[in-house]
């Protein structure tokens, strides 16, 4: 999603802005730009495509100043093009604005501006807001005019603004879209997230919704929208939480896939300190409250939603609490029946997903306690939650989520075992066995990573077709969905995930000798495995090309599957943590064979901060 960086420095800020934009690339973008005060008017350079295009423009037509703003744009209003890219300026080039979010009433504001004779150069809501701010700030105090303009805007924004009247000042404002302010030896910064300015700041302020900031050589002032000065809290930046490099892997995604055994082991060591008792320090939920929960509603988006589906199965099986799941974008627009004793769980890697955030605000409005399973400390989601389980996966830079997902599954497992025990649904002995098996999962993942070459070969055989079908049952049904999503996201091969039992209700019509059908059929303790084998026979009978994810030593798939990826034996409820790693690698090598930009797939954003 769009990225913002801005700076008030002691030396030329343009190299810092460009570095910040590079560090924001992982969020996804289709154009970029920077603006600084010039000798007479504000000046900008903008380019469509990768940052290299903007760098070229700056080489042939350099900019230099001690204050400026920059932006990477992920198109919402209007095609990716230079004229739609940010910063936007007013006609007199007195004001330049970078914006993340969506101004919902931009058409209304635009009509008023058109009546006043303002002309438009782009299709964007941001240009409308820029002209509106320019008009409101034309006379009088800039901050007052800026506040008034923001008061007229409906929707979500994170803004960076410079204007000609104060050439050494950057203004920032936030409502609904994340924005931070930071300080370090080189100067003061604004950014849409910490990694953008990580090498240059030691401390940051997470601006709250409805706050504005003014950065100048004298320091940082924070105000509320009504102009009242705010005492903002400086937070020390923890390098370990944010630092990331590809560590010799060809992509961040591959590195992150390989990090999974370490991430899950680390999570288990942190939350099971002596190896036997689960201790979730940020859950901060008394046993009494946990016993009083009558219902759970899990809300999330994308990959995190598949983690929610897994969490539901696990919690229902071992705690006896009825659980529902919903997509953030659906939940927020329905009339969910939630009450004080409904625990709402939000799952999110970034903690900034707009629909997930809106959902928990709704839940809090209804008086429900909110538990967040989240990877980013200080994120909006964490700050809005009563209870937290950090997934501690470290920064995930690849747009397609991998290690954050398996960390979410682990967090659900730990919460479930803890809740099952507290509520008396899981006996101590059973709990101990389950915990031991969970602690063995990183070894299982290691084993799968060791079969990478084999998986690459399988992917190489099946990546060419137009489509692929992924089938799974029960705990592995959400993994079928996740496997298909990973494949779509990075290889652009169309893929469908299905509950295997549903296949004969429709998708069976797709099966022919060209369709790869990826079947997760690892052994289970009951009849589900047999059912899965029957579903595979149905595929086989129609000539489909089966790729099976099967338990080592299980011979039932022999003769049915064209290719078998063997995984180690694991209890069914924990097997998804291993099986999904095989699916991640399958998608990865299909994408590699298809020559896509794996870390930054087209059209995708790392954190979706707009609806
Ligand atoms: O940051 P979040 O976990 O809230 O993000 C949710 C989805 O946008 C995200 O999982 C998305 O589906 C990824 N591209 C998955 O790879």
């Amino acid at each position: 999603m769009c990225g913002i960086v801005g700076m008030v420095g002691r030396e030329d800020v343009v190299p810092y802005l460009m570095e910040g934009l590079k560090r924001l690339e992982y969020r996804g973008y289709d154009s970029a730009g920077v603006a600084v005060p010039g000798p007479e008017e504000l000046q900008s350079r903008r380019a469509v495509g990768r940052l290299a295009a903007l760098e070229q423009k700056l080489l042939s037509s350099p900019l230099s100043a001690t204050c400026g703003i920059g932006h990477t744009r992920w198109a919402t209003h209007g095609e990716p093009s230079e004229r739609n890219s940010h910063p936007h300026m007013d006609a007199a080039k007195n004001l330049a604005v970078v914006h993340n979010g969506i101004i919902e009433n931009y058409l209304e504001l635009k009509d008023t501006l058109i009546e006043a004779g303002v002309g438009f150069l782009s299709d964007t809501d941001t240009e409308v807001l820029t002209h509106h701010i320019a008009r409101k700030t034309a006379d009088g105090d800039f901050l007052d005019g800026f506040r008034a303009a923001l008061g007229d805007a409906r929707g979500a924004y994170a803004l960076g603004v410079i204007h000609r009247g104060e050439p050494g000042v950057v203004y920032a404002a936030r409502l609904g879209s994340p924005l931070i302010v930071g300080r370090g030896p080189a100067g003061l910064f604004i950014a849409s997230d910490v990694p953008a300015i990580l090498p240059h700041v030691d401390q940051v302020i997470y601006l709250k919704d409805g706050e504005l900031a003014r950065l100048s050589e004298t320091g940082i002032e924070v105000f509320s929208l009504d102009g009242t000065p705010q005492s903002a809290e400086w937070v020390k930046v923890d390098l370990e939480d944010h630092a990331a490099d590809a560590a010799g892997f060809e992509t961040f995604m591959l590195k992150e896939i390989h990090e999974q055994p370490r991430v899950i082991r680390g999570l288990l060591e942190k939350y099971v300190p002596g190896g036997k008792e689960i201790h979730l320090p940020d859950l901060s939920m008394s046993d009494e409250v946990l016993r009083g929960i009558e219902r759970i509603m899990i809300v999330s988006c994308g990959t995190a939603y598949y983690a929610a589906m897994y969490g539901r199965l696990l919690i229902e099986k071992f705690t006896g609490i009825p659980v529902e799941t919903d997509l953030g974008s659906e939940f927020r627009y329905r009339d969910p029946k939630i009450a004080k004793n409904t625990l709402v769980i939000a799952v999110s890697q970034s903690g900034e997903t707009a629909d997930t955030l809106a959902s928990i605000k709704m839940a809090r409005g209804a008086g429900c306690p909110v538990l967040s399973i989240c990877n980013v400390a200080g994120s909006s989601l964490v700050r809005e939650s009563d209870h937290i389980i950090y997934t501690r996966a470290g920064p995930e830079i690849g747009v397609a989520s991998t290690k954050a997902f398996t960390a979410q599954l682990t967090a659900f497992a730990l919460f479930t075992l803890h809740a099952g025990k507290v509520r008396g649904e899981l006996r101590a002995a059973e709990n101990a066995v389950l915990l031991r098996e969970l602690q063995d999962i990183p070894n299982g993942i290691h084993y799968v990573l060791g079969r990478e070459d084999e998986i690459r070969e399988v992917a190489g055989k099946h990546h060419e077709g137009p489509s692929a079908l992924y089938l799974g049952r029960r705990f592995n049904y959400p993994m079928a969905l996740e496997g298909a999503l990973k494949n779509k996201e990075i290889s652009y091969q169309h893929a469908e995930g299905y509950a295997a039992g549903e296949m004969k209700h429709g998708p069976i019509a797709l099966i022919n000798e060209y369709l790869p059908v990826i079947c997760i059929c690892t052994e289970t303790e009951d009849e589900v495995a047999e059912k899965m084998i029957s579903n595979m026979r149905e595929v086989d009978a129609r000539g489909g090309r089966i790729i099976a994810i099967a338990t080592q030593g299980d011979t039932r798939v022999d003769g049915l599957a064209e290719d078998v990826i063997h995984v180690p034996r694991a209890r069914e409820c924990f097997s998804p943590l291993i099986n999904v790693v095989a699916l991640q690698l399958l998608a990865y090598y299909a994408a590699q064979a298809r020559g896509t930009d794996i870390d930054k797939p087209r059209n995708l954003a790392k954190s979706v901060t707009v609806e």
Side-chain angles (χ1 to χ4, degrees):
M1 201 102 303
C2 306
I4 288 179
V5 62
M7 183 180 180
V8 173
R10 292 179 237 297
E11 49 189 284
D12 183 12
V13 298
V14 175
Y16 290 91
L17 296 179
M18 289 304 291
E19 183 194 341
L21 295 183
K22 276 196 193 122
R23 298 178 68 89
L24 286 167
E25 274 193 297
Y26 78 96
R27 295 163 68 100
Y29 70 105
D30 39 54
S31 60
V34 290
V36 297
E40 290 179 357
E41 54 189 23
L42 301 185
Q43 299 180 312
S44 73
R45 303 285 179 267
R46 303 183 297 173
V48 76
R50 293 287 177 216
L51 279 174
L54 180 60
E55 274 169 339
Q56 270 311 318
K57 284 208 165 171
L58 283 165
L59 266 182
S60 49
S61 183
L63 291 179
S64 170
T66 54
C67 149
I69 50 178
H71 192 261
T72 46
R73 173 175 187 253
W74 186 80
T76 55
H77 292 63
E79 49 166 24
S81 62
E82 190 177 325
R83 72 189 179 86
N84 283 334
S85 57
H86 302 207
H88 287 281
M89 293 207 229
D90 65 329
K93 299 196 174 168
N94 281 335
L95 180 88
V97 174
V98 290
H99 167 219
N100 291 355
I102 291 178
I103 303 302
E104 282 162 8
N105 60 334
Y106 82 106
L107 287 175
E108 225 172 86
L109 294 173
K110 191 170 183 175
D111 285 346
T112 317
L113 289 162
I114 289 171
E115 269 171 39
V118 175
F120 289 86
L121 302 173
S122 79
D123 308 319
T124 65
D125 53 337
T126 306
E127 191 193 1
V128 174
L129 186 65
T130 306
H131 290 299
H132 185 63
I133 299 172
R135 285 193 77 206
K136 291 276 182 177
T137 54
D139 310 306
D141 180 70
F142 185 86
L143 184 61
D144 290 344
F146 186 34
R147 289 194 298 104
L150 294 182
D152 296 334
R154 272 203 321 274
Y157 54 76
L159 294 170
V161 176
I162 54 172
H163 78 115
R164 203 147 68 100
E166 294 175 284
V169 175
V170 170
Y171 284 92
R174 170 200 166 147
L175 188 76
S177 291
L179 195 66
I180 56 160
V181 173
R183 65 182 174 199
L188 308 174
F189 294 83
I190 62 167
S192 36
D193 64 21
V194 178
I197 51 176
L198 184 68
H200 305 298
V201 295
D202 349 281
Q203 289 185 309
V204 295
I205 296 170
Y206 293 94
L207 288 181
K208 298 197 185 89
D209 273 347
E211 281 185 345
L212 287 82
R214 181 178 185 274
L215 284 65
S216 68
E217 61 176 8
T218 57
I220 294 175
E221 300 156 276
V222 179
F223 306 91
S224 61
L225 209 50
D226 66 9
T228 315
Q230 302 293 299
S231 54
E233 182 198 353
W234 284 102
V235 178
K236 197 171 168 325
V237 172
D238 187 338
L239 275 177
E240 275 204 3
D241 277 357
H242 298 284
D245 70 64
F249 284 91
E250 60 192 22
T251 60
F252 276 105
M253 183 175 174
L254 193 59
K255 175 194 165 219
E256 287 156 8
I257 290 174
H258 278 265
E259 279 179 312
Q260 292 175 108
R262 182 180 59 73
V263 165
I264 294 171
R265 203 169 280 127
L267 202 53
L268 292 169
E269 280 167 9
K270 172 78 188 169
Y271 292 146
V272 195
K276 292 205 159 49
E277 290 295 325
I278 296 171
H279 172 62
L280 300 167
D282 304 297
L283 182 65
S284 321
M285 189 184 289
S286 70
D287 290 357
E288 198 192 335
V289 171
L290 196 43
R291 281 189 208 106
I293 294 168
E294 288 179 5
R295 207 165 141 247
I296 290 180
M297 167 67 72
I298 316 179
V299 193
S300 45
C301 302
T303 285
Y305 181 68
Y306 303 141
M309 290 174 71
Y310 168 81
R312 172 190 169 189
L313 292 167
L314 206 61
I315 295 171
E316 285 191 333
K317 184 173 171 75
F318 294 115
T319 73
I321 308 173
V323 185
E324 256 188 90
T325 58
D326 207 349
L327 296 161
S329 52
E330 288 297 314
F331 179 83
R332 63 186 291 194
Y333 292 114
R334 70 179 169 96
D335 190 8
K337 299 292 165 262
I338 46 176
K340 277 211 294 282
N341 40 19
T342 307
L343 173 68
V344 174
I345 303 182
V347 192
S348 174
Q349 187 285 128
S350 62
E352 302 295 351
T353 300
D355 286 320
T356 307
L357 267 171
S359 300
I360 62 150
K361 285 183 184 159
M362 226 171 104
R364 291 191 73 169
C368 301
V370 171
L371 160 62
S372 281
I373 295 181
C374 187
N375 200 34
V376 181
S379 61
S380 306
L381 188 64
V382 161
R383 281 179 286 124
E384 294 277 349
S385 300
D386 310 292
H387 314 283
I388 302 154
I389 302 178
Y390 287 110
T391 42
R392 305 177 62 87
E396 192 179 62
I397 304 296
V399 166
S401 189
T402 52
K403 62 175 180 172
F405 177 67
T406 43
Q408 287 160 358
L409 304 186
T410 311
F412 269 120
L414 289 167
F415 173 75
T416 301
L417 297 189
H418 171 66
K421 190 170 164 195
V422 169
R423 292 171 64 98
E425 293 282 332
L426 263 179
R427 280 175 298 112
E430 197 183 355
N431 201 305
V433 172
L434 285 164
L435 188 55
R436 264 203 309 280
E437 292 183 22
L438 181 62
Q439 286 161 328
D440 202 33
I441 290 297
N443 294 331
I445 298 178
H446 240 295
Y447 177 92
V448 174
L449 293 173
R451 307 196 81 111
E452 193 170 354
D453 289 345
E454 232 171 84
I455 298 175
R456 184 195 289 121
E457 236 172 77
V458 176
K461 279 171 67 183
H462 298 281
H463 73 268
E464 273 169 351
S467 190
L469 183 62
Y470 286 68
L471 301 177
R473 276 179 173 263
R474 201 156 60 187
F475 282 95
N476 280 298
Y477 163 43
M479 301 309 116
L481 297 173
E482 171 61 4
L485 179 68
K486 280 296 85 89
N487 194 25
K488 286 187 265 222
E489 283 189 301
I490 59 168
S491 84
Y492 314 152
Q493 180 185 47
H494 172 258
E496 288 271 349
Y498 247 86
E502 268 294 293
M503 188 184 57
K504 47 174 107 45
H505 299 285
I508 199 163
L510 294 171
I511 291 171
N512 60 21
E513 66 274 33
Y514 305 111
L515 185 77
V517 185
I518 296 91
C519 298
I520 313 172
C521 59
T522 43
E523 277 179 352
T524 68
E525 299 92 41
D526 57 21
E527 74 285 359
V528 167
E530 272 313 313
K531 300 275 183 231
M532 191 66 216
I533 298 286
S534 307
N535 297 136
M536 289 167 67
R537 288 209 179 92
E538 290 155 10
V539 175
D540 183 51
R542 285 155 186 86
R545 302 176 65 184
I546 297 178
I547 301 163
I549 312 286
T551 310
Q552 255 173 323
D554 182 359
T555 52
R556 292 168 310 158
V557 293
D558 296 353
L560 265 181
E562 181 176 327
D563 292 293
V564 185
I565 299 169
H566 284 111
V567 295
R569 192 175 305 275
R571 186 187 286 259
E572 185 202 349
C573 66
F574 299 140
S575 68
L577 280 121
I578 297 174
N579 298 343
V580 78
V581 177
L583 300 179
Q584 292 166 352
L585 286 171
L586 210 49
Y588 185 88
Y589 285 110
Q592 194 193 57
R594 290 166 73 106
T596 61
D597 187 350
I598 295 180
D599 276 342
K600 298 181 214 96
R602 69 181 178 211
N603 304 335
L604 285 181
K606 182 65 186 165
S607 71
V608 182
T609 51
V610 294
E611 272 197 77

